[in-house]
Amino acid sequence: MGTVGHLGDAKALQAILERARDAFISLDAAGTIRAWNAAAERLFGWPAEEAVGRRVTDLLAPPSLRARYGEGLAYLLEHGPAVLPDHRLELTVTDRGGREFPIEMALQVDDEHGAPAIHAFVHDISERHAARRQLEEERTFLQTLLDSLQVGVMACDTDGRLTLVNQAARQLHRFPAESAAEDLHGPHSRHLFAPDGRTPLRPEQTPLARAFAGEQIEGQHLVIRPPGAGTRRCVVNSRPIATPDGRRLGAVSALHDITDQHRAQVLRDAQHAVAQVLAEAAGSEQVSAGVLTAVVRALDWSYGEYWQIGSTQNHLTCVGSWGRPGLSFTCDPEMRVQPGQGLAGLVWATGRATWISDLGADPRPFARRQDALRAGLRTAVALPVRSGDQVLGVLIFCSDAVQEPDDDLVAMLDGVCAHVGRYLERRRAEELALALAASRRHFDQVVSQIDDNVWTIEILPDGRTRSVYQSQRAAGIFGDPVPDDSDISGLLLQQIHPDDREAYTAFDSRVRSGENAQIECRFVGLDGVVRWIWIRSTPRREGGRLFADGISTDVTEHHRLAEEHDRMKDELVALVSHELRNPIGAIRGYVEMLVDTPGLTETQRTFAGIIDRTSAHLLRLVDDLLDLARLDAGHITIDPRPISLTRLVRQAVDDHRAAAESGHLDLVADLDLQLPVNADPLRLRQVLDNLLSNAIKYTPEGGAVTVGIGADEEGEGTAVVTVADTGIGIPPEQYPLLFTRFFRASTAQEAGIKGTGLGLAITKAIVEAHGGVITAAPREGGGTVLTVRLPASLPSAASPAG
Ligand code: ATP
Ligand code: MG
């Protein structure tokens, strides 16, 4: 039982204090205990008899009180309520048994009787302390648990204050480490965008705000893009928090970061879309357009272009572009850049993918950068499209958000470019094959229009041949088409006309040895008809293999016409000689008589002279024409016999001396040697006359004509006649034409010297009919030398040459 001293006669009060549940202690100014009730005895373990009269600090050993208030209650008494704002203290004390425990003390400073005193109600608050500690522990436990989750969790209280944001949510929103408690409409809510990543969410649209308003939300997709951090994509579940009886406590959101899955899905979608485009595209242009659209759409980017390397390999042309609806940026389809120029040119030159995170911050001078920025484009990625080592083009993609380089995306786009490259390569091969087939059709069409047989054979190393191509399957040669796999060479050898076999064998071996060759010969067709075939063959070497390309033409008709032609020519010759030559001969006979007739007047004689000269010229012309016609028909005949070349030449020279003198020319002949030849004297004389008349005719006054004969030192038994002059000569490039009929050198024409150009053609034919050769060459010092070589002893039965 405790004692309450000095409380006067307030017995009732004393009784109340004795029964009170809280301890009651009363102290004097020196801190000595004056009252100590039963509850104080229970709480501190000191009975009232021992407690009353002792200093309270000796008894309760309140370390924390001492620590804070110096010498304890004495200090409190001195300073009074000034240091105790609410007259209520929490402190720790130690009981009689040494147990430490927290108390709450309500103080009352009493000064009524002149001596200050302190009355204190003491309440054990151990339980309350324990409960608070437990709450704190639970909170720590919860926070640690939430922070360990990958899911972001955010909760707000009834006032809409964010009371709980776990580590994952802080990371997603980039909350500063020491962030002040935010409101649910605070700054973080302004980094939230709709799934397109572009449209900002209004404050009332955020999942937490909707849940706060009472909605329950499952699986809302949104994009979080805090300033200076990458874009994250989340699926959010949100719900209001309420007590079981329906009292609203706030709202909570759980954010699942699906950025990586989403990106993987986007990449897969893009690859899939590209694969589909490639599978369905009908041409290279469709591929570039389709791939751009597919990739830009699948990535949810804004723009793409395709640049192709021109056929000349010195520029890139923009062949296609695609932008999301409403984008005000495109590429002029005829725009061209050189290697190294612009983003496309840069990628072409380096052959490497290039990622520009922010066009606005890139220092390179790209021509269309300002336009792109104005249209809202920020990130650009450009990649080469290759076939093997060769760059075929460049693909460019642009996004209107700043995107940091993304290796996975570049790898995916690289894969897309590789697909496109392979497609273009395959397509090009197909297009080439089509073009080849078309040109082959065209070739076949052309070839089918001609009657000739166009062919190619391969000459194998062992000498055998393989037919590579036959336009008419040799129908023109054999009368009937032969099967494709026939051995044409063998068939030709088998069907050759016996008379032409030798010539054909020679031709065949020239073809097989890879030489140019041609032949005109007869084949007996499979239909029994004999045909003249003209075959030309040209060798071609390709990659170490030998081919021969050729044309075979049926010239049977040509031969028939030629024979017809010869026959007609013979008839003409006969006609001319009888119907023209004979009358002229008659005219000449009579005019010769007329010229010699005495008693003609001067005029009559002049006229007769003109008729004489003109008819002589006419006769010579007719003779020349006849000679030529006979030459063509192979009918020129010579009648060789042993004669003295020396004498024949001397006679000819003598006969031309008058003409030479009238032209004031020196005619020199060195004719000491006796040279017998076997020749037709009339025809040989014709040769000499032609050569001498030319030499005199084409040598101006004061010149010289020199005639020589001799035996050739080299060719045994060859007689040589030379006629050299100092005349006007012949331009060197015209020598090859000298012996063709009707040819007249430019020098003769310029000098105005008349002639028909038949003399040398006839001369050559006569010399060759004798088995000889005639040549012409410039004379040293000016003029011309004509040389005739004749076999000295021609067999008398020699056949005429054609
Ligand atoms: P014709 O049929 O009357 O003889 P032509 O003398 O013109 O006429 P050719 O004798 O065949 O015909 O000679 C052909 C051409 O060759 C001549 O026109 C002349 O231009 C040139 N020619 C021939 N001999 C000589 C020569 N000795 N000097 C210069 N030119 C010559
Ligand atoms: Mg002449």
Side-chain angles (χ1 to χ4, degrees), residues 335-354:
M335 189 161 174
R336 288 174 166 206
V337 297
Q338 313 294 318
Q341 197 187 2
L343 183 53
L346 178 79
V347 170
W348 181 19
T350 60
R352 279 202 310 272
T354 300

Side-chain angles (χ1 to χ4, degrees), residues 76-402:
L76 279 181
L77 292 174
E78 196 172 317
H79 298 281
V83 296
L84 302 168
D86 56 358
H87 300 200
R88 199 175 276 270
L89 277 178
E90 264 187 37
L91 57 140
T92 309
V93 290
T94 311
D95 67 4
R96 190 177 188 182
R99 181 180 70 100
E100 228 174 67
F101 60 98
I103 57 165
E104 186 184 62
M105 213 160 47
L107 297 172
Q108 175 68 47
V109 180
D110 184 4
D111 200 17
E112 244 172 77
H113 308 289
I118 291 178
H119 312 299
F121 285 97
V122 179
H123 181 68
D124 180 355
I125 56 168
S126 301
E127 272 177 30
R128 201 202 301 167
H129 261 231
R132 195 192 297 156
R133 209 169 33 245
Q134 192 182 346
L135 201 67
E136 260 167 28
E137 278 170 11
E138 277 173 9
R139 209 186 149 79
T140 306
F141 183 81
L142 184 69
Q143 187 69 45
T144 310
L145 179 80
L146 289 176
D147 284 348
S148 73
L149 295 180
Q150 282 185 340
V151 175
V153 179
M154 300 173 79
C156 65
D157 62 14
T158 42
D159 298 328
R161 271 200 315 271
L162 289 183
T163 47
L164 197 149
V165 180
N166 78 344
Q167 184 63 34
R170 283 177 182 281
Q171 187 62 32
L172 277 170
H173 281 288
R174 293 292 160 104
F175 276 104
E178 294 300 320
S179 66
E182 238 185 52
D183 187 54
L184 90 166
H185 299 313
H188 81 277
S189 68
R190 291 193 283 277
H191 312 145
L192 301 181
F193 296 82
D196 66 5
R198 282 185 284 274
T199 318
L201 290 187
R202 289 196 305 277
E204 71 277 13
Q205 287 176 317
T206 69
L208 195 57
R210 288 169 66 190
F212 185 71
E215 248 184 285
Q216 182 145 336
I217 293 149
E218 292 291 334
Q220 180 178 353
H221 281 246
L222 54 78
V223 166
I224 305 178
R225 198 156 40 175
T231 299
R232 308 303 293 180
R233 184 172 290 267
C234 294
V235 177
V236 187
N237 296 338
S238 295
R239 65 195 58 211
I241 307 172
T243 59
D245 56 349
R247 202 156 45 83
R248 199 66 75 69
L249 297 177
V252 63
S253 279
L255 300 93
H256 300 264
D257 185 345
I258 55 157
T259 311
D260 292 343
Q261 295 98 300
H262 176 78
R263 202 180 55 174
Q265 184 63 42
V266 162
L267 297 187
R268 265 197 307 278
D269 287 352
Q271 273 164 324
H272 186 171
V274 167
Q276 195 154 350
V277 165
L278 294 179
E280 288 169 3
S284 308
E285 304 77 34
Q286 282 187 17
V287 162
S288 51
V291 166
L292 291 176
T293 316
V295 171
V296 174
R297 278 214 184 113
L299 295 181
D300 204 9
W301 281 28
S302 296
Y303 179 71
E305 335 179 296
Y306 181 58
W307 293 78
Q308 202 166 47
I309 291 174
S311 49
T312 49
Q313 293 284 319
N314 59 11
H315 65 268
L316 277 167
T317 310
C318 183
V319 293
S321 65
W322 191 83
R324 63 165 164 75
L327 185 82
S328 62
F329 184 79
T330 184
C331 151
D332 178 358
E334 287 315 307
M335 189 161 174
R336 288 174 166 206
V337 297
Q338 313 294 318
Q341 197 187 2
L343 183 53
L346 178 79
V347 170
W348 181 19
T350 60
R352 279 202 310 272
T354 300
W355 183 295
I356 299 174
S357 297
D358 187 355
L359 284 167
D362 196 276
R364 283 170 285 200
F366 296 130
R368 295 182 300 149
R369 198 167 66 120
Q370 287 309 326
D371 290 343
L373 285 172
R374 256 196 298 281
L377 302 178
R378 299 303 294 268
T379 293
V381 186
L383 308 100
V385 173
R386 268 189 259 262
S387 158
D389 286 343
Q390 195 197 349
V391 175
L392 302 176
V394 175
L395 275 170
I396 300 181
F397 300 102
C398 299
S399 155
D400 49 12
V402 171

